[in-house]
Amino acid sequence: MMNHVAVNPIDHKTLRVSPARSEQAGDGMMCCVTFPDEFRNVQGHYPILFRMNAERTDFHCLAMFGFENGENLFLKEGRWDARYIPLFMDIQPFLIGRSAEEGGEPKVVIDLDNARVNEGEGERLFNDSGIATPYLETISKKLAYLDQGYQSTTSFTAALQKYDLLEPLTLDIALRDGSQNRLVGFHTINEEKLAGLGSDALADLQGQGYLQPTYMVLASLSHLGDLIERKDTVESYDL
């Protein structure tokens, strides 16, 4: 259950957001959306894959945290076990809201039912005078950056499709306990086709600023092994 409302100093003057991370607070996700301008930070910790949207008309870029729904292998004892948290997760329990009217100003929205929202501990949204705290101002800037980045994803994935650089990925995972897992439904960059692109195609991708993030996706795939190791560690501990 979610209870999304626009943040305001009258109703939310005493609200705080706890830094604690948990499945109950919405962190139990196997992946989240990311975008090309964030790839530099994301690729240092997480595999980046692609998945078609529900309408099967476009692709989302995703930072991977696990191999099955609800699995986040970076959650450990109320904290996030990585130096960088992808922006979509970092701004929780906030999101951008817009009025139904065209051109409506974006607003900072909070999920009041999120387990991190309380009136006892954590970061305040407003000070005693009802003025937004530095914490809330930072959240607002992050939301704007996330919104801008998300909007730019469509042209990036369109360029990848133009040169037929996306291919389905099937990953079979054998754990030390003998269990078998399979990751399906995702796409990645076809490295062979990327290497075979002509100078005009490369110049086109470079000119749009898409060549570097494309290579960062490939570099991020080295973390698939790290993710398997995390899962292996969890499964062994459960035993």
Side-chain angles (χ1 to χ4, degrees), residues 1-4 16-29 70 72 75 77-80 85 88-95 110-118 121 135:
M1 183 67 68
M2 295 182 179
N3 183 12
H4 292 156
R16 294 175 180 265
V17 176
S18 167
R21 296 281 174 171
S22 68
E23 292 183 3
Q24 295 75 17
D27 296 305
M29 298 173 60
N72 185 341
L75 279 182
E77 301 176 349
R79 64 183 179 88
W80 194 288
I85 302 176
F88 181 87
M89 303 301 294
D90 188 40
I91 52 87
Q92 300 297 325
F94 298 93
L95 66 156
I110 189 170
D111 177 13
L112 292 178
D113 287 343
N114 187 281
R116 294 173 61 197
V117 179
N118 66 89
E121 63 176 11
Y135 169 73

Side-chain angles (χ1 to χ4, degrees), residues 22-88:
S22 68
E23 292 183 3
Q24 295 75 17
D27 296 305
M29 298 173 60
M30 70 176 290
C31 59
C32 79
V33 294
T34 182
F35 50 93
D37 284 347
E38 192 186 29
F39 285 1
R40 180 182 294 276
N41 292 321
V42 170
Q43 63 85 30
H45 304 278
Y46 315 95
I48 301 170
L49 298 179
F50 303 86
R51 184 167 62 189
M52 276 193 143
N53 60 16
E55 297 77 24
R56 301 190 68 78
T57 57
D58 200 1
F59 285 89
H60 294 306
C61 309
L62 301 171
M64 305 299 298
F65 314 135
F67 296 105
E68 53 189 287
N69 290 333
E71 179 180 67
N72 185 341
L73 297 170
F74 290 87
L75 279 182
K76 288 190 176 181
E77 301 176 349
R79 64 183 179 88
W80 194 288
D81 186 34
R83 292 191 307 275
Y84 181 79
I85 302 176
L87 203 52
F88 181 87

Side-chain angles (χ1 to χ4, degrees), residues 178-194:
S179 64
Q180 299 288 326
N181 298 263
R182 171 170 284 197
L183 183 69
V184 296
F186 296 88
H187 285 65
T188 189
I189 301 293
N190 186 314
E191 190 169 0
E192 184 176 343
K193 288 185 177 180
L194 177 62

Side-chain angles (χ1 to χ4, degrees), residues 5-238:
V5 297
V7 170
N8 68 82
I10 297 176
D11 298 322
H12 309 132
K13 188 174 179 179
T14 60
L15 279 190
R16 294 175 180 265
V17 176
S18 167
R21 296 281 174 171
S22 68
E23 292 183 3
Q24 295 75 17
D27 296 305
M29 298 173 60
M30 70 176 290
C31 59
C32 79
V33 294
T34 182
F35 50 93
D37 284 347
E38 192 186 29
F39 285 1
R40 180 182 294 276
N41 292 321
V42 170
Q43 63 85 30
H45 304 278
Y46 315 95
I48 301 170
L49 298 179
F50 303 86
R51 184 167 62 189
M52 276 193 143
N53 60 16
E55 297 77 24
R56 301 190 68 78
T57 57
D58 200 1
F59 285 89
H60 294 306
C61 309
L62 301 171
M64 305 299 298
F65 314 135
F67 296 105
E68 53 189 287
N69 290 333
E71 179 180 67
N72 185 341
L73 297 170
F74 290 87
L75 279 182
K76 288 190 176 181
E77 301 176 349
R79 64 183 179 88
W80 194 288
D81 186 34
R83 292 191 307 275
Y84 181 79
I85 302 176
L87 203 52
F88 181 87
M89 303 301 294
D90 188 40
I91 52 87
Q92 300 297 325
F94 298 93
L95 66 156
I96 290 180
R98 286 190 172 85
S99 63
E101 302 170 0
E102 186 174 351
E105 286 294 318
K107 297 179 179 180
V108 177
V109 172
I110 189 170
D111 177 13
L112 292 178
D113 287 343
N114 187 281
R116 294 173 61 197
V117 179
N118 66 89
E119 295 188 353
E121 63 176 11
E123 298 282 357
R124 291 186 63 175
L125 307 187
F126 299 95
N127 63 21
D128 292 337
S129 300
I131 298 174
T133 61
Y135 169 73
L136 182 56
E137 290 179 348
T138 298
I139 288 293
S140 181
K141 292 177 182 178
K142 288 182 176 180
L143 284 169
Y145 183 49
L146 175 62
D147 185 50
Q148 180 183 9
Y150 184 73
Q151 298 300 326
S152 70
T153 300
T154 298
S155 58
F156 171 63
T157 56
L160 296 180
Q161 292 178 82
K162 175 182 177 180
Y163 296 109
D164 196 25
L165 293 178
L166 293 177
E167 65 175 352
L169 171 72
T170 297
L171 182 64
D172 290 311
I173 306 160
L175 300 182
R176 285 192 289 263
D177 65 2
S179 64
Q180 299 288 326
N181 298 263
R182 171 170 284 197
L183 183 69
V184 296
F186 296 88
H187 285 65
T188 189
I189 301 293
N190 186 314
E191 190 169 0
E192 184 176 343
K193 288 185 177 180
L194 177 62
L197 289 180
S199 58
D200 289 344
L202 291 172
D204 181 27
L205 292 173
Q206 176 67 21
Q208 296 184 74
Y210 295 152
L211 194 57
Q212 185 181 64
T214 299
Y215 281 112
M216 286 184 178
V217 172
L218 286 176
S220 78
L221 297 182
S222 64
H223 293 299
L224 283 170
D226 299 335
L227 205 57
I228 293 172
E229 181 63 27
R230 282 178 178 268
K231 187 171 181 65
D232 232 342
T233 301
V234 170
E235 295 294 333
S236 298
Y237 178 80
D238 288 343

